[in-house]
Amino acid sequence: QVQLVESGGGLVQPGESLRLSCAVSGPGMTFRLYTMGWFRQTPGKQREMVAHIRSNGSARYADFVRGRFTVSRDNAKSMMYLQMSNINAEDTATYYCNTYPASVEYWGQGTQVTVSS
């Protein structure tokens, strides 16, 4: 059974940085072959794509994070990361990793990022 586990969230102040991690495990998914994505959701809103990264490392970002967030991956470790910089209050959300496009069966619990001064 494939599992995607997000970690690294927490409470931060505006302007600070945070690094999220996504660990992928289990048979049935060869991580290095998949485009992976970070998504986020706040209560009452639809989940939205934050960034996605191809197996070769090329990445795309949503306009609201471009220049502040950086997505990376380690195919050997089946890990994906999201380096968040210059965080602002609008970044408060639960962050999820998944394939891109997302697969329904791979949604995990997410990791909460709360931005507050």
Side-chain angles (χ1 to χ4, degrees), residues 2-6 21-27 29-34 36 38 72-81 97:
V2 176
Q3 281 192 314
L4 284 74
V5 179
E6 305 89 349
S21 298
C22 170
V24 179
S25 63
M29 180 181 173
T30 305
F31 177 82
R32 59 181 173 81
L33 299 180
Y34 283 81
M36 298 296 296
W38 282 102
S72 61
R73 63 191 294 163
D74 185 334
N75 289 335
K77 296 181 179 179
S78 297
M79 294 288 295
M80 180 176 62
Y81 307 97
C97 62

Side-chain angles (χ1 to χ4, degrees), residues 15-86:
E16 291 187 339
S17 298
L18 202 61
R19 188 195 195 204
L20 306 184
S21 298
C22 170
V24 179
S25 63
M29 180 181 173
T30 305
F31 177 82
R32 59 181 173 81
L33 299 180
Y34 283 81
T35 297
M36 298 296 296
W38 282 102
F39 304 80
R40 72 184 188 185
Q41 188 172 25
T42 56
K45 291 188 176 182
Q46 281 194 330
R47 203 167 308 192
E48 57 186 359
M49 191 278 293
V50 175
H52 58 89
I53 182 168
R54 294 183 175 180
S55 58
N56 65 2
S58 63
R60 292 282 182 93
Y61 299 90
D63 288 343
F64 52 79
V65 303
R66 188 174 292 114
R68 300 188 299 122
F69 292 7
T70 302
V71 60
S72 61
R73 63 191 294 163
D74 185 334
N75 289 335
K77 296 181 179 179
S78 297
M79 294 288 295
M80 180 176 62
Y81 307 97
L82 185 68
Q83 180 66 47
M84 307 168 66
S85 301
N86 196 20

